[in-house]
Structure formats: structure tokens, C-alpha cells
Amino acid sequence: MIELCKIDHDNFDKVLKLKLAEGQESFVASNIYSLAEAYKDLTNNEKPPMPFAIHNGDDVIGFTMMEFCELDEDDPFFVDFGDKAVYNFFRFMIDKDHQGKGYGRQAVGKILEFLRSQPQGKADAISVCYEPENEVSRKLYAPLGFVETGHIIDGEILARLPL
């Protein structure tokens, strides 16, 4: 059973050892970089990031990180939709040894369930970004209701799911 678990003493090293399949390395930042980024955000009085290990039973099979963002009217990427706040689901990976087994879709379902509970405040949408070449992500998110917005952020396609 797929679960999102807080990163703790028991799973920290396992999260750091997760690897992407060959050719996927450019699609997502490393887990060590993501955890360092979470620490930076946390220690700079920003809303705490939400990193999680993705477990299948006792096995750590992936990693995700999300954030809550309040938007202002000048934000060029979200003003088209009138969003006041969004949850960015900006890191997601399944270990190379666990890909192709349906775990990614199950994990995204758990992530969406968590974000729909609006754990850090009311938001209008959930957003995700992915590289234009990443057809796996496009095929994963589109059937779940994510719609590409036409905006590009740091070279990545922005897709949005209204809440």
C-alpha cells in the first residue's frame, strides 16, 4: 500500500539512495538538493516545505516535495486564473527499481488527496511543472485533471488542477 511518510531517522538514508532511471536525471532535482532546499526555506521564515518519502509497505520507493504559495496580482504565471494561492507539487520521483508498476499513479493519488485537505491554508489550485520532453509526466498528470496552462517556468511546462 502506497503511503506518504514524513522523513525521519528510519527513512532519511533510504530517500537519499533513491535513483532515477537512466535518461531521467534531468527531469527532477536530486533528493539531497531538494532536502537542502527544504531546509533553506524552513530556516528563512517561509512556509514550511512538505517533503515526504513515498513508501510501499516498509520499502521506500520514492520522494515528493510540495509547497504552499500565496500569490500576488503581479505574478505573471497565475494571474490568468485569478488564483490567490496554490499548492505547488514540484518534486516527484519513483526509484528506477520501482517504476512501471503503477506506484507513480498511486503516489500521485495520495499526494492529491493530501493537498486537497489544504494542510497549510486555502488554495485555488494545485500546480505541477515538468520538462517538455517528459512524456511520462504529461501522460501521468493529464488523466488526473491537470491542464497545461501555456506558461513555461524555468523551461518547464506549468499544468494546473483547480481545487
Side-chain angles (χ1 to χ4, degrees):
M1 180 171 143
I2 300 299
E3 295 179 272
L4 301 181
C5 298
K6 290 182 180 180
I7 300 195
D8 60 19
H9 295 290
D10 295 328
N11 62 19
F12 179 78
D13 286 335
K14 293 174 185 174
V15 167
L16 295 181
K17 291 178 183 174
L18 296 170
K19 301 285 183 217
L20 291 166
E22 189 173 322
Q24 295 177 333
E25 299 89 355
S26 67
F27 292 158
V28 65
S30 71
N31 295 344
I32 195 164
Y33 179 88
S34 296
L35 291 171
E37 186 176 35
Y39 177 80
K40 173 199 57 96
D41 291 347
L42 186 61
T43 59
N44 283 284
N45 299 321
E46 297 179 26
K47 281 271 190 186
M50 297 172 281
F52 290 96
I54 300 169
H55 284 230
N56 180 30
D58 291 334
D59 295 329
V60 176
I61 64 163
F63 172 78
T64 190
M65 193 159 77
M66 300 153 271
E67 65 183 351
F68 176 75
C69 295
E70 293 175 324
L71 306 172
D72 62 38
E73 294 176 10
D74 297 328
D75 190 315
F77 300 110
F78 298 98
V79 72
D80 294 352
F81 309 103
D83 295 338
K84 301 291 184 210
V86 297
Y87 282 98
N88 289 323
F89 158 37
F90 68 105
R91 296 285 157 66
F92 176 68
M93 63 86 67
I94 298 293
D95 183 80
K96 63 183 177 65
D97 294 333
H98 299 282
Q99 293 181 9
K101 300 176 183 178
Y103 296 144
R105 187 167 305 281
Q106 291 176 55
V108 171
K110 291 288 185 180
I111 291 163
L112 295 179
E113 180 182 322
F114 174 71
L115 293 177
R116 285 183 176 122
S117 75
Q118 303 201 29
Q120 291 185 343
K122 183 168 174 28
D124 302 298
I126 298 169
S127 64
V128 65
C129 290
Y130 45 86
E131 298 285 337
E133 308 82 34
N134 191 344
E135 285 298 318
V136 172
S137 288
R138 179 177 277 123
K139 290 177 182 174
L140 176 64
Y141 301 128
L144 297 170
F146 282 91
V147 176
E148 293 181 0
T149 65
H151 290 101
I152 303 294
I153 300 176
D154 295 331
E156 296 184 336
I157 294 169
L158 172 68
R160 179 181 176 275
L161 176 68
L163 285 173

